Amino acid sequence: MRKMNSFGIIFLGFLALAVSAQAQLKLGFYQQTCPKAEQIVLDYVKKHISNAPSLAAAILRMHFHDCFVRGCDGSVLLNSTKTSNASQTEKVANPNLTLRGFGFIDGVKILLEKECPGVVSCADIVALAARDSVVTTGGPSWNVPTGRRDGIISNVTEANNNIPPPTADFRNLTIFFANKGLNITDLVLLSGAHTIGIGHCSSFSARLYNFTGRGDQDPALDKFYAVKLKQKCRSLNDNVTFVEMDPGSVRTFDLSYYQLLLKRRGLFQSDAALTTNAPAKAYIAGLLSGPPQEFFRQFALAMEKMGRVEVKTGTAGEIRKQCAFVN
Ligand code: HEM
Ligand SMILES: *[C@@H]1O[C@H](CO)[C@@H](O)[C@H](O)[C@H]1NC(C)=O
Ligand SMILES: *[C@@H]1O[C@H](CO)[C@@H](O)[C@H](O)[C@H]1NC(C)=O
Ligand SMILES: *[C@@H]1O[C@H](CO)[C@@H](O)[C@H](O)[C@H]1NC(C)=O
Ligand SMILES: *[C@@H]1O[C@H](CO)[C@@H](O)[C@H](O)[C@H]1NC(C)=O
Ligand SMILES: *[C@@H]1O[C@H](CO)[C@@H](O)[C@H](O)[C@H]1NC(C)=O
Ligand SMILES: *[C@@H]1O[C@H](CO)[C@@H](O)[C@H](O)[C@H]1NC(C)=O
Ligand SMILES: *[C@@H]1O[C@H](CO)[C@@H](O)[C@H](O)[C@H]1NC(C)=O
Ligand SMILES: *[C@@H]1O[C@H](CO)[C@@H](O)[C@H](O)[C@H]1NC(C)=O
């Protein structure tokens, strides 16, 4: 009996190992099944991002949004359809979310389906393209273990509940990130993605015009910077105009986002919030006191960590034929 038990335990141990081994991402997952997959993504990024550099930021942000809703499973890419699992998809979430670059991902997918049909997931395409996009902006590279499977559910309410709003304070930001297994260090590092890309006035104009509902300004925002922003965003209701988040180096992945934060020139309340917590602020100061390569190294690790959030592997989900629709 005792023997049986320990055998049983060992057997279960092996089973658990087998299941978890199967359920893990791995580097070069497509090496046998689609050896050119990663090169095809890289070539596509190089070709298209040089014509439209602002796309790099869009793809990086898309990866973040994908991972924060149902894990990195490509659900962010799904179009609304009549089926109940995709009736109101993440894409139609809060208009303020203004994601871009869906056509870009569809374009890579078409090439990959030609090369090896039904093999490479849309979730992996987003993860790989985000990494390659950052590299094209002068940022770091990181490991992208692959083998993510595509989800079959996309739900607008879940997007609104899981994507932190630009109005979030530090406490709320930590909760949004902790819900995804990410800590304060990850929060500070990943927010560094705002070194590239744009923000629409609607994401921050309350800071300029009506912060507490008395026609006031956010006192945490540098006054001179506020004047400049108001010249671009002429009213509280402007939802068309956008500004560079990291003016002057919007296309370069560097440390200047953190420099701006310490000058009270972070664009969103969520950016400014990172300096309201002493350990986070100290961490930012530490990043700024080191060489950019150290930030790059840490950012890379945080991205790899984010890319593992709630992934589907093995036989979960599916490999979509078209990224905008479940099979
Ligand atoms: C910490 C919480 C975060 C909040 C509240 C936040 C919020 C926002 C907002 C409001 C915008 C501008 C959208 C617009 O008005 O067009 C934006 C842009 C962007 N975000 Fe974040 N974000 C956060 C974290 C992240 C993370 C973790 C990443 C990636 C690792 C990221 C990458 C980007 C990029 C690259 C852009 C520019 C997109 C473009 O140019 O189209 N953000 N973010
Ligand atoms: C998905 O919907 C968007 C509009 O939200 C549209 O532009 C796009 O063409 C659709 N994608 C496909 C593959 O039909
Ligand atoms: C909707 O999602 C559920 C749960 O994952 C799944 O069992 C069902 O097959 C899905 N329905 C469709 C039409 O994809
Ligand atoms: C932008 O503002 C205009 C005018 O106020 C409004 O009609 C439109 O619905 C808004 N668009 C979004 C995406 O909020
Ligand atoms: C979407 O998610 C919300 C919140 O979890 C849930 O209440 C709702 O039923 C879901 N919608 C669909 C169509 O599954
Ligand atoms: C923080 O989250 C709570 C609960 O969702 C919400 O009521 C509150 O308004 C949020 N505060 C800020 C500053 O975002
Ligand atoms: C956050 O997690 C990383 C490992 O993923 C770790 O190196 C770092 O020290 C953690 N930060 C905090 C504040 O716990
Ligand atoms: C857009 O963001 C602004 C400021 O954060 C907010 O007041 C507004 O309600 C948001 N619009 C929508 C449609 O959610
Ligand atoms: C500012 O906010 C207050 C309270 O929400 C509102 O009554 C007022 O109309 C807003 N002002 C403008 C210009 O939108």
Side-chain angles (χ1 to χ4, degrees), residues 94-96 165-167 201-206 269:
N94 186 337
N96 285 355
T167 49
C201 298
S202 49
S203 301
F204 58 87
S205 52
Q269 280 158 261

Side-chain angles (χ1 to χ4, degrees), residues 48-99:
H48 289 84
I49 303 267
S50 57
N51 295 332
S54 83
L55 260 182
I59 304 296
L60 175 58
R61 183 166 182 237
M62 184 188 285
H63 185 35
F64 160 52
H65 281 220
D66 190 25
C67 294
F68 267 56
V69 190
R70 299 195 151 262
C72 320
D73 72 341
S75 55
V76 68
L77 304 168
L78 290 173
N79 270 14
S80 299
T81 59
K82 286 188 191 125
T83 63
S84 65
N85 284 343
S87 55
Q88 285 282 83
T89 57
E90 294 162 35
K91 262 186 192 176
V92 298
N94 186 337
N96 285 355
L97 299 180
T98 55
L99 286 176

